[in-house]
Amino acid sequence: MRRLVAQLARFGVVGAVGFVVDTGIFNLLRATVLSPDEVHSGPFWAKVVSTVVAIFVNWMGNRYWTFREQRRAVATREGVEFVIVSLGGMVISLGCLGISHYVLGLTSALADNISGNVIGLVLGTVFRFWLYKVWVYHPERGRARAARAAETDGPTSAASTSTASTVSQSSVAGSEVAGQ
């Protein structure tokens, strides 16, 4: 339970940084080049751009801090899965913004921020944390993949996988100590 609480706290800190990035870029773009006075769909595109930048910031924070024990050695597949889940969260945020701005006609900067950066963020965060935990960074995924590799490659490969895992864990532990 303590581990989950600590992980939730780290996820919250990473999310807070992402929130500042997302909200800052959104408001900057909405007030300048993507102003609704200049571009009808400006708030929508401002949210898309700000969210994409925040997704990258959040991936780095979650990969190297929140879920560092569950991250994979090769970042490509993990990154793709992270982006898929994050885009799902972005759709939730954009849905909230779209309903507020275009359906309900609440077009002020405050209304756009409340719908996209508060309501959408809360709903998207719950969605993302759950899928990061059960899919992207699920600890069993790495173990199952290592077990399948050991079965197909035989006992020699299993021993080298175990040794590589031990070396990897030792270097992670060493880098954590050095980083503190």
Side-chain angles (χ1 to χ4, degrees):
M1 183 63 165
R2 287 179 50 196
R3 186 175 183 182
L4 178 62
V5 170
Q7 195 171 48
L8 276 168
R10 289 189 303 267
F11 184 77
V13 170
V14 169
V17 171
F19 174 76
V20 169
V21 168
D22 190 354
T23 304
I25 292 173
F26 172 76
N27 283 300
L28 177 68
L29 292 174
R30 189 188 184 287
T32 59
V33 296
L34 294 174
S35 167
D37 298 333
E38 302 297 322
V39 179
H40 174 70
S41 58
F44 179 85
W45 291 110
K47 188 65 182 163
V48 169
V49 171
S50 68
T51 301
V52 167
V53 174
I55 285 171
F56 177 75
V57 170
N58 288 342
W59 180 55
M60 297 304 286
N62 282 312
R63 175 173 171 72
Y64 292 104
W65 191 40
T66 305
F67 298 103
R68 68 180 174 258
E69 292 89 17
Q70 291 93 14
R71 74 175 185 233
R72 295 184 214 136
V74 179
T76 307
R77 184 171 178 177
E78 176 187 286
V80 168
E81 291 171 354
F82 189 91
V83 167
I84 290 168
V85 172
S86 296
L87 290 176
M90 180 175 77
V91 167
I92 292 169
S93 246
L94 288 173
C96 293
L97 176 63
I99 290 170
S100 171
H101 193 93
Y102 300 107
V103 176
L104 300 177
L106 303 171
T107 60
S108 71
L110 179 62
D112 286 349
N113 274 287
I114 290 172
S115 62
N117 294 325
V118 176
I119 297 168
L121 179 73
V122 168
L123 296 175
T125 297
V126 171
F127 170 82
R128 285 188 305 270
F129 182 78
W130 176 69
L131 279 174
Y132 294 156
K133 187 89 175 133
V134 301
W135 185 44
V136 178
Y137 295 109
H138 192 277
E140 294 299 319
R141 293 185 75 203
R143 289 186 209 130
R145 196 171 301 113
R148 281 193 304 272
E151 288 173 5
T152 58
D153 294 339
T156 305
S157 177
S160 63
T161 301
S162 174
T163 303
S165 175
T166 303
V167 169
S168 174
Q169 289 172 355
S170 298
S171 57
V172 167
S175 67
E176 286 176 6
V177 170
Q180 290 179 354

